[in-house]
Amino acid sequence: QVVLVESGGGPVQAGESLRLSCAASGGTFSNYVMGWFRQAPGKEREIVAAIGLRGGRGNTYEGDSVKDRFTISRDNFKNTVYLEMNSLKPEDSAVYYCAAGDSGWGPWISDSGSFRFWGQGTQVTVSS
């Protein structure tokens, strides 16, 4: 059982930056693909970014709406995955969830169903 705890959310102004962190425990962190999803009121949960077992070039994915603004990274020694969010927009406001999956890296990583463990979420609110 992997337990995920997100932190770093909060209220910000448009154009500002935030860094979300997700600390994992209870499993071998480096065995899991990690992802960040978000869900705004009245909308479906959507992929924000994902990172493979070791990260690095070619092993990360960012959704179209956040590409070039958000960056995902991981530290397998600290059992932590990060989401660096820059140039935030009001439409980025949502609850952000960290997730861990053991289905490997492939086109399915944009599907929330490929992730088995989920954090409780952290609220990000961007005001204009």
Side-chain angles (χ1 to χ4, degrees), residues 13-96:
Q13 297 285 325
E16 292 184 342
S17 299
L18 271 180
R19 188 173 85 153
L20 304 183
S21 299
C22 172
S25 61
T28 303
F29 181 72
S30 58
N31 286 348
Y32 292 93
V33 171
M34 300 300 297
W36 286 98
F37 288 77
R38 68 185 181 187
Q39 188 165 20
K43 294 189 176 182
E44 293 187 356
R45 189 170 296 190
E46 64 171 349
I47 181 80
V48 177
I51 188 165
L53 302 187
R54 285 172 290 280
R57 189 170 293 183
N59 215 217
T60 61
Y61 168 87
E62 286 87 23
D64 288 341
S65 62
V66 305
K67 201 164 289 186
D68 299 327
R69 297 189 298 123
F70 291 12
T71 302
I72 189 171
S73 61
R74 69 189 295 164
D75 186 332
N76 286 348
F77 294 102
K78 294 184 178 180
N79 292 351
T80 302
V81 61
Y82 305 97
L83 183 68
E84 188 74 38
M85 305 187 294
N86 298 314
S87 303
L88 282 160
K89 304 175 181 180
E91 51 264 43
D92 293 319
S93 297
V95 178
Y96 282 71

Side-chain angles (χ1 to χ4, degrees), residues 101-117:
D102 53 6
S103 299
W105 185 257
W108 52 86
I109 54 93
S110 61
D111 182 352
S112 61
S114 66
F115 290 84
R116 188 145 58 110
F117 303 104

